[in-house]
Amino acid sequence: MGEARTSTSVITSLWVLFLLMLVTPLLYFWLLFRPDGFDPAPLPDHHSWFSTLSVPARNSHVLRGTERLGDGLVVGPEDLVYDPNGHLLYTGCEDGWIKRVRLSEAVASMSVENWTYTGGRPLGLAVGAENQLIVADAYKGLLRVSKTGVEVLTDEAGGMKFGLINCVDVAGDGVIYFTDTSYKYRLGEHMVDFLEGRPHGRLMSFDPSTNQTQVLVQGLYFANGVALSPGNDFLVFCETVLRRCRKYHIQGDKKGTVDDFIDNLPGFPDNIHFDGKGLFWIAFPSSRTFPLYMLSRYPVLRKALAIGGRFVKIPNMNWDSGVLGVSLEGKPVALYTDPDLAGVTSGVKVGRHLYYGSLDKDYISRLDMIKYPARDQRSRA
């Protein structure tokens, strides 16, 4: 234990030294290359970096049991969606293609095909009526893919164009719910929005029967994943910067209002999916690493990093990534992570397997949750 604490202390000290060495020249660059419109802010007073929830079951070494599928064929599979009709998995890729994977027990037996080309960057996906696929394309807007081709449903709300439409889900009545991460920044600048730490995000709906787009909630901090409850009486949406997910009521006495769902997450939430069996699965590209803590604590460091990113490659600050299973009541159930895992952006449970995607990998990962389960932590206490 003493050696572990010493190692952690050395790593922390090295990161402090690195950040100090980085800040001085970058502040100089800031005087010469002051970014227009970039104004990082302190995070809200109610946000607590050090608070984190307790998860009863964990698998902290998922890479020991992870399999790869579609190696080299799916570049940047940011979101995944499962269609039980045909046992298919869809994902949007960096090259503008939506790929379709035919699942089977053996990875070697799975096939990957180019299914539909959007011409943009497909991110969030959801299966709609009549096997249509609803797509949140970062460049094109909200799309509907059917046998007749690709159709743009909407690309603005409240007189404002989408900046970074991100995640989507479809209710039983056909209404589509989706997030616009930022009205200010586009996909290539998504980390700038993250660093600025201001509420540029929106939660919206689109009704195909009326072609009406409605802003439901605005002023969100990096609005991200969205998933409907099984009864469609509420939906859950994620705010990445604040490490929380909230609940928007669609029906009932609280219709149109927002409540807390789950807060103080162990990482920064991205996509969220309901598995049809009682759990939401929330992916997070990184845990609360020390470099990210320093950035959240000091806006001046965020400003320096945003400027420095123009001249030097920003070092990796994400690790211990994974997927968290959460009950309908917002209670954490099981956490799947690995210290060497980074960039997990979506997680989908299909049968005994957990599939997860990423922005920066060229394959989809799969974990057998029976062979490699999350172990009850309370029994080890």
Side-chain angles (χ1 to χ4, degrees):
M1 290 295 292
E3 292 180 0
R5 283 195 294 269
T6 300
S7 176
T8 301
S9 177
V10 170
I11 293 173
T12 301
S13 298
L14 288 174
W15 267 109
V16 171
L17 180 61
F18 170 80
L19 290 170
L20 289 174
M21 292 174 64
L22 183 68
V23 167
T24 301
L26 292 184
L27 285 177
Y28 170 74
F29 277 121
W30 175 70
L31 294 174
L32 297 178
F33 305 98
R34 188 170 303 182
D36 294 334
F38 179 75
D39 185 21
L43 296 182
D45 291 339
H46 61 75
H47 172 68
S48 173
W49 174 270
F50 296 102
S51 296
T52 188
L53 50 80
S54 175
V55 184
R58 292 174 180 255
N59 177 345
S60 301
H61 298 281
V62 299
L63 289 179
R64 294 176 182 174
T66 293
E67 302 173 280
R68 294 184 180 185
L69 63 99
D71 241 326
L73 301 176
V74 284
V75 179
E78 195 270 347
D79 191 23
L80 308 172
V81 65
Y82 175 63
D83 184 358
N85 297 316
H87 201 39
L88 300 168
L89 196 68
Y90 292 90
T91 187
C93 295
E94 189 178 280
D95 57 7
W97 278 94
I98 297 174
K99 307 294 180 84
R100 184 165 67 179
V101 183
R102 295 188 181 277
L103 301 181
S104 67
E105 282 301 312
V107 168
S109 302
M110 297 186 191
S111 63
V112 179
E113 60 178 310
N114 290 339
W115 184 65
T116 299
Y117 182 67
T118 70
R121 200 334 176 174
L123 295 174
L125 308 171
V127 177
E130 301 176 354
N131 292 326
Q132 298 171 345
L133 198 67
I134 306 301
V135 182
D137 189 297
Y139 298 129
K140 299 290 186 175
L142 187 68
L143 311 180
R144 178 167 55 199
V145 181
S146 64
K147 294 179 181 179
T148 58
V150 180
E151 174 190 2
V152 178
L153 298 176
T154 179
D155 62 0
E156 65 177 6
M160 186 182 296
K161 289 281 188 179
F162 304 149
L164 176 48
I165 182 175
N166 199 333
C167 301
V168 63
D169 204 358
V170 183
D173 61 3
V175 176
I176 301 166
Y177 296 90
F178 60 102
T179 53
D180 185 18
T181 292
S182 173
Y183 63 78
K184 183 176 180 180
Y185 295 102
R186 302 304 300 271
L187 178 61
E189 303 171 305
H190 73 278
M191 276 306 298
V192 179
D193 188 88
F194 183 88
L195 292 171
E196 189 161 8
R198 291 185 180 274
H200 300 139
R202 299 180 289 174
L203 172 69
M204 291 168 286
S205 67
F206 175 79
D207 189 341
S209 66
T210 62
N211 287 330
Q212 296 247 323
T213 306
Q214 183 179 358
V215 178
L216 305 176
V217 186
Q218 53 190 343
L220 303 178
Y221 289 82
F222 208 97
N224 215 321
V226 56
L228 285 149
S229 67
N232 289 184
D233 53 333
F234 70 89
L235 63 81
V236 177
F237 64 90
C238 301
E239 288 182 277
T240 302
V241 169
L242 299 184
R243 295 182 13 253
R244 71 179 181 183
C245 297
R246 304 174 77 191
K247 177 191 292 188
Y248 177 83
H249 294 273
I250 299 172
Q251 303 172 15
D253 296 339
K254 302 182 75 174
K255 180 179 178 179
T257 63
V258 176
D259 286 334
D260 294 334
F261 181 70
I262 187 168
D263 205 348
N264 300 319
L265 289 166
F268 297 86
D270 201 305
N271 283 290
I272 175 172
H273 289 282
F274 183 68
D275 64 6
K277 303 293 184 181
L279 292 181
F280 291 102
W281 292 92
I282 305 171
F284 51 96
S286 177
S287 66
R288 302 172 304 150
T289 66
F290 177 74
L292 292 177
Y293 160 69
M294 293 293 288
L295 291 173
S296 70
R297 184 79 171 81
Y298 301 106
V300 65
L301 292 181
R302 284 184 259 143
K303 181 171 288 189
L305 193 63
I307 299 165
R310 299 179 179 184
F311 309 100
V312 297
K313 183 178 179 180
I314 297 175
N316 177 40
M317 294 179 284
N318 301 331
W319 57 79
D320 208 12
S321 179
V323 185
L324 173 68
V326 179
S327 72
L328 289 170
E329 295 73 34
K331 302 297 183 183
V333 174
L335 180 62
Y336 293 82
T337 61
D338 196 287
D340 295 322
L341 185 60
V344 175
T345 51
S346 61
V348 175
K349 184 178 182 295
V350 181
R352 63 188 288 162
H353 293 105
L354 178 66
Y355 295 84
Y356 54 97
S358 169
L359 262 178
D360 55 9
K361 302 293 191 300
D362 62 357
Y363 55 84
I364 297 169
S365 299
R366 184 178 83 163
L367 178 74
D368 188 324
M369 302 172 76
I370 302 299
K371 289 184 179 179
Y372 304 95
R375 302 288 185 184
D376 191 339
Q377 301 299 298
R378 293 166 297 187
S379 63
R380 300 185 176 195

